[in-house]
Amino acid sequence: MTEELGVHRDTAQDALLRLRADRIAHLMLTDPSLTPEQSAAALGYPAGQVRRATVRAQAVLRAHRLAPYLADVAQAVHQAGWTATAAVPEVQYPADDLVVASLVLDGADPPAPALVWDERYGWRTATSRRHLLTKGAVPPSPSDGIRYLAQGTTPPPDALTAALTA
């Protein structure tokens, strides 16, 4: 398959993992009674080849559940004038089992270049619009330009905007 597509084996395996995880998550959304393993079996995936996909599928489901919250944050940040549009933050899965999201603040006079949300630690500022996530999704230490904002992992959007201006 890699020769046919002209991609490296690792690239093909990563794409297959993402595709399987997305399909497993979609099936679990349509039938919440299914476990990731049951969904994988229903889709005909060999049990020995889907362990990472089932883990990632659970992260995809958590991201799906968080989508309304992230949209509310995007709207609040946009209303504050810190983004040009109210685009929902980009969700990423840097370690398959972890959900993070990033929001570039491209509006007039933003309090930081960008915001990063990590399901383990909540919101923080980023010092760059280009490299929002550290390698392995290791959270950076608070330092010049990096602040952890508000309390909890999903603070109300108005608490987040208040923390940004404090």
Side-chain angles (χ1 to χ4, degrees), residues 11 23 28 37 47 56-57 66 72 75-76 84 108 122 130 132 134 162:
T11 303
R23 292 188 69 204
M28 290 174 67
E37 293 77 16
R56 185 178 173 114
L66 282 161
D72 289 346
Q75 184 63 39
R130 291 185 130 198
L132 301 174
T134 56

Side-chain angles (χ1 to χ4, degrees), residues 37-124:
E37 293 77 16
Q38 290 169 332
S39 297
L43 291 166
Y45 298 149
Q49 297 179 9
V50 294
R51 185 182 59 79
R52 282 185 55 210
T54 57
V55 168
R56 185 178 173 114
Q58 291 172 337
V60 169
L61 286 173
R62 290 192 309 274
H64 180 76
R65 287 185 206 111
L66 282 161
Y69 169 72
L70 295 174
D72 289 346
V73 168
Q75 184 63 39
V77 170
H78 176 66
Q79 287 175 344
W82 298 328
T83 59
T85 64
V88 177
E90 178 185 345
V91 174
Q92 298 175 42
Y93 310 95
D96 290 338
D97 64 341
L98 177 64
V99 180
V100 298
S102 57
L103 183 62
V104 173
L105 303 182
D106 59 356
D109 198 31
L115 296 175
V116 175
W117 177 82
D118 181 315
E119 70 179 330
R120 301 168 297 181
Y121 306 107
W123 290 97
R124 69 170 170 83

Side-chain angles (χ1 to χ4, degrees), residues 1-18:
M1 177 161 84
T2 57
E3 288 179 26
E4 182 73 25
L5 297 174
V7 296
H8 190 272
R9 179 179 168 268
D10 294 346
T11 303
Q13 285 182 328
D14 189 52
L16 184 58
L17 167 76
R18 287 192 316 262

